[in-house]
Amino acid sequence: MTGQGAHWKTTRLAVALVGVLGGQARAAAPKPPTIEISVIHALHADGGLSIDPRLRDLPQLTREQPFVRYNVYKLLGRKELVVEAGRPVTERLVNGRALQVTLLDANEQDGRNRFHMRVAIDEPGKGSLLKLLEVTASGNEPFFVGGQSYQGGTLFLELIIRP
Amino acid sequence: MRLPLETLLELMALSDGELTGEAKERAEALVNTDGQAREVVETMRAAHIGAWLKETLESTAALAGADRISDALAPELAKLAASPKQRAQASGVRQPRGPRSFGARFAFGVTGAGLALAAAVLLYVGQGGRLVGRGLRVANQREAPIDSALSGATTQGVVGQVASSEGVVVDEIDSPNHDISLFEITSAGISSGGPRAASVVIWIEEGVK
């Protein structure tokens, strides 16, 4: 690396540090929202109800359709991805499909943040399972996409936007 | 500041397009999951910062060491960092729109003129679930009347609507060749942390029709 090259690198690093530290110093700076994606495997099996303890809210849901169809629930994975307006984030699912979530916009309504999102599920080499789903939800308000067959059961995708 | 120096260097290399293979994937994954990492890369990539920086560097590099250059740049960059709008413009990030009227509703679809149907629609209301279409594109193209309710009728070409004062609004669904059902959830205590939160399950039948 040349002397000037080294200077350039060091300076750019300083730029990044200043930018990041400056950002941290701004108490009012909004933290970018994240989308929490939980992949849940649901089965109907002999025996009683079995719910992965990490699915803290599911017991209430299992009394309602379509959750009532299954009695074994296991969390296969949970991930939180930063979302930014207009920039899709993609998560590869256990069945090979790709879940894509795009934050379209966010605004405040009646004192609550409302997030308008677009969701799609594609399978490489095949058509879309879900070509387009547009949903508006408040922060920390989950919604689910279900119905994908997986290992004798089905997958529920729980999506929650975290402001 | 919690990102280690070597990670910062790697992010810098990513912003320069110098990373390949596993290192690139690792850095991109970090950017996707870590706001601070993303901020570093966006700062690096900000076009106007880069141009100005390069100009500044070229004019001063011969006269000063890198540390002194960094010291000189820091106050200016700190000012820039203090302006979210500028930062957003620099990174090409779209700013959220102004207030959008979603209405106080829980929309599964809209009747009549508000719909764009890509295929014939078969409707029924099942126990707790509503099959709203097959190969259906349900587009909410106008503000929905708040008080309209799901018709409950099996009527071709018409999709009902459920109104609610809170919860998730399904604005549009398009799933060619698959049956779509919507289930309203009214249980208390779901992840929202709120006292009661209406939510929804969008059910896409796996089998292609």
Side-chain angles (χ1 to χ4, degrees), chain A residues 58-133:
Chain A
L58 212 57
Q60 288 90 345
L61 298 180
T62 53
R63 293 195 293 265
E64 300 209 32
Q65 285 283 6
F67 298 99
V68 73
R69 300 172 186 174
Y70 308 94
N71 62 349
V72 178
Y73 289 91
K74 185 180 178 188
L75 178 67
L76 299 183
R78 178 174 281 155
K79 192 174 272 190
E80 202 165 332
L81 303 172
V82 173
V83 287
E84 207 163 319
R87 290 187 179 183
V89 293
T90 302
E91 172 68 4
R92 183 69 61 185
L93 301 176
V94 290
N95 58 6
R97 289 186 168 125
L99 170 71
Q100 189 176 76
V101 182
T102 307
L103 176 63
L104 298 178
D105 60 34
N107 63 73
E108 192 173 313
Q109 190 177 24
D110 298 330
R112 293 191 308 170
N113 286 325
R114 297 287 283 170
F115 298 90
H116 185 205
M117 291 164 278
R118 177 179 296 155
V119 178
I121 300 175
D122 289 320
E123 185 164 20
K126 297 185 181 177
S128 299
L129 176 74
L130 179 57
K131 188 176 176 185
L132 171 72
L133 166 65

Side-chain angles (χ1 to χ4, degrees), chain B residues 32 43 88 106:
Chain B
N32 274 339
T43 304
F106 195 151

Side-chain angles (χ1 to χ4, degrees), chain A residues 93 95-100 119-133 145-150 154-157, chain B residues 133-136 173-181 202-209:
Chain A
L93 301 176
N95 58 6
R97 289 186 168 125
L99 170 71
Q100 189 176 76
V119 178
I121 300 175
D122 289 320
E123 185 164 20
K126 297 185 181 177
S128 299
L129 176 74
L130 179 57
K131 188 176 176 185
L132 171 72
L133 166 65
V145 178
Q148 297 182 71
S149 300
Y150 184 70
T154 195
L155 292 180
F156 282 97
L157 308 178
Chain B
R134 177 172 298 150
L136 169 69
I173 306 174
D174 187 4
S175 180
N177 304 319
H178 296 278
D179 286 345
I180 306 165
S181 301
I202 299 101
W203 186 269
I204 313 293
E205 287 295 337
E206 178 84 45
V208 176
K209 299 295 175 186

